[in-house]
Amino acid sequence: MSSTWVKSQWKFITLPGQLSATINTTLVKLLLRGRSWWQQLVTGELTIEQMAGQERVTAPYISRVVKLAFLAPSVIDAIVTGTQPARLDGKTLLATNAVPPSWNEQIARFE
C-alpha cells in the first residue's frame, strides 16, 4: 500500500482491488472524537456541559459530534476507506439534524 500526503486533511492511498481512494482525515477524526466523547459520557466522566467547557466548544456541537458514534456501519466504512461521496464532509455531517436516527435513512442520505 502506498500513501502520499497532499494536504493535512487528505490522504491518498491505494487499496487492494481499487485504483485509489481519498481518505478525508477530518471526517475520520470526527468519527474518533464522537466515539471518544460518547465513552466519556457513558462512563459518567463528564457531562455534556463539562465536556463543552473542557473542549472550548458548545454543548450542541458536542451532541452533534457524539451522534457520529451511531452512524450506520456502511457509512463509517465508506469514510474510513475514503469511498464516501465527495459531498460528504464535516460540515454536512455536523449540520443541525443532519444525522437521522435510522441507519437506512443515513445510508440513503450519505452514500
Side-chain angles (χ1 to χ4, degrees):
M1 183 183 305
S2 64
S3 64
T4 305
W5 285 97
V6 175
K7 290 183 179 179
S8 63
Q9 73 175 25
W10 299 98
K11 184 176 184 180
F12 295 94
I13 64 170
T14 302
L15 300 172
Q18 295 184 348
L19 295 176
S20 66
T22 303
I23 297 178
N24 184 326
T25 58
T26 299
L27 289 180
V28 173
K29 288 176 185 176
L30 281 171
L31 293 180
L32 293 172
R33 187 172 293 137
R35 287 177 182 241
S36 173
W37 288 354
W38 172 246
Q39 278 300 315
Q40 291 177 41
L41 292 169
V42 165
T43 60
E45 290 178 42
L46 298 169
T47 66
I48 289 178
E49 292 76 18
Q50 291 169 327
M51 188 178 294
Q54 178 179 307
E55 297 290 334
R56 298 176 188 234
V57 296
T58 65
Y61 177 80
I62 297 285
S63 296
R64 290 192 306 272
V65 172
V66 165
K67 285 181 184 179
L68 302 182
F70 302 99
L71 284 173
S74 61
V75 175
I76 293 171
D77 185 58
I79 291 169
V80 300
T81 60
T83 58
Q84 79 281 353
R87 71 182 186 286
L88 184 59
D89 60 13
K91 186 176 180 179
T92 302
L93 280 178
L94 294 178
T96 302
N97 299 319
V99 179
S102 161
W103 281 356
N104 290 333
E105 291 177 54
Q106 291 173 17
I107 291 166
R109 185 174 294 179
F110 300 132
E111 287 189 0

